[in-house]
Amino acid sequence: MKHKPGYSKFNRILIYILIAICIFIFAGTIIAFVTHKAEPGKNLRTPQPVPQERELKSLNERSDRKLAAYTGIGTLRASAGSSGENSLPVAVVITPWFSYYEHDSAFYEELSRKRLLISGIITTYISEHTKTQLLQIGEEKIKAELLQLINAQLSLGKIENVFFTDYIFLE
């Protein structure tokens, strides 16, 4: 079987291009760290842990009635709008949970029934803002605004607080 005359030359060119790309990526990474432009962990936050007995005890110390945690929403993924005409939207991963008064089984059932509605409220809120706007608003104000938006849709009770186990921007 005869090979075409330019076949091995073409393979060598592709290998040289691949090596050049690898060198470029490696050099760029080294330069970013040396010039201190890379900031690993820059946007890390201290997560509010998944509610356990210790966290609920802490919440209950600040309230005259016992609070429970609703964790049925799970992890949500939303797309924060782009901040410029050439930038892409940023994915946001958020895991909310709520505190409500314990032993209110009717309200717990309402939260369970409206889980998709509440998820929609949260993802819509995130998608209506850019990453820059969300960072400027701040996590505490976002929680307060979400608390109002969610409570406006509930009829059998009100959630007391909104917490985030995860609140991460993926770029």
Side-chain angles (χ1 to χ4, degrees):
M1 181 174 191
K2 258 185 166 177
H3 293 288
K4 294 182 181 175
Y7 183 70
S8 62
K9 185 177 180 182
F10 180 71
N11 280 344
R12 264 186 294 202
I13 292 172
L14 287 178
I15 290 173
Y16 292 141
I17 290 172
L18 182 62
I19 291 171
I21 290 172
C22 290
I23 290 171
F24 179 75
I25 291 172
F26 182 73
T29 303
I30 298 299
I31 291 170
F33 277 106
V34 170
T35 61
H36 300 290
K37 291 193 180 198
E39 297 179 33
K42 171 184 148 193
N43 291 325
L44 290 180
R45 62 180 271 284
T46 304
Q48 295 169 328
V50 175
Q52 296 174 351
E53 187 175 325
R54 182 175 44 128
E55 286 77 22
L56 292 175
K57 183 178 178 185
S58 174
L59 284 173
N60 287 326
E61 288 173 357
R62 294 179 261 157
S63 176
D64 54 346
R65 292 171 56 185
K66 284 192 112 207
L67 295 173
Y70 180 76
T71 59
I73 299 298
T75 300
L76 302 173
R77 288 154 193 84
S79 180
S82 59
S83 55
E85 49 186 70
N86 291 333
S87 62
L88 297 171
V90 175
V92 179
V93 177
I94 187 168
T95 306
W97 60 277
F98 315 120
S99 62
Y100 68 97
Y101 290 118
E102 192 175 51
H103 303 301
D104 191 347
S105 59
F107 182 60
Y108 176 83
E109 288 176 18
E110 180 183 22
L111 287 173
S112 296
R113 276 193 330 271
K114 294 186 176 179
R115 181 181 59 84
L116 293 177
L117 174 67
I118 294 168
S119 297
I121 290 169
I122 296 169
T123 55
T124 300
Y125 180 90
I126 297 297
S127 64
E128 289 176 344
H129 295 84
T130 66
K131 176 187 175 188
T132 305
Q133 290 171 336
L134 291 170
L135 292 173
Q136 286 174 349
I137 292 171
E139 190 175 330
E140 293 307 314
K141 188 168 181 191
I142 290 171
K143 290 177 190 176
E145 290 177 1
L146 286 173
L147 180 72
Q148 289 178 342
L149 292 170
I150 293 167
N151 278 337
Q153 299 299 316
L154 301 172
S155 55
L156 298 178
K158 302 293 179 203
I159 56 175
E160 296 298 308
N161 294 299
V162 175
F163 300 96
F164 298 149
T165 303
D166 295 315
Y167 181 64
I168 304 166
F169 294 94
L170 301 176
E171 297 184 71

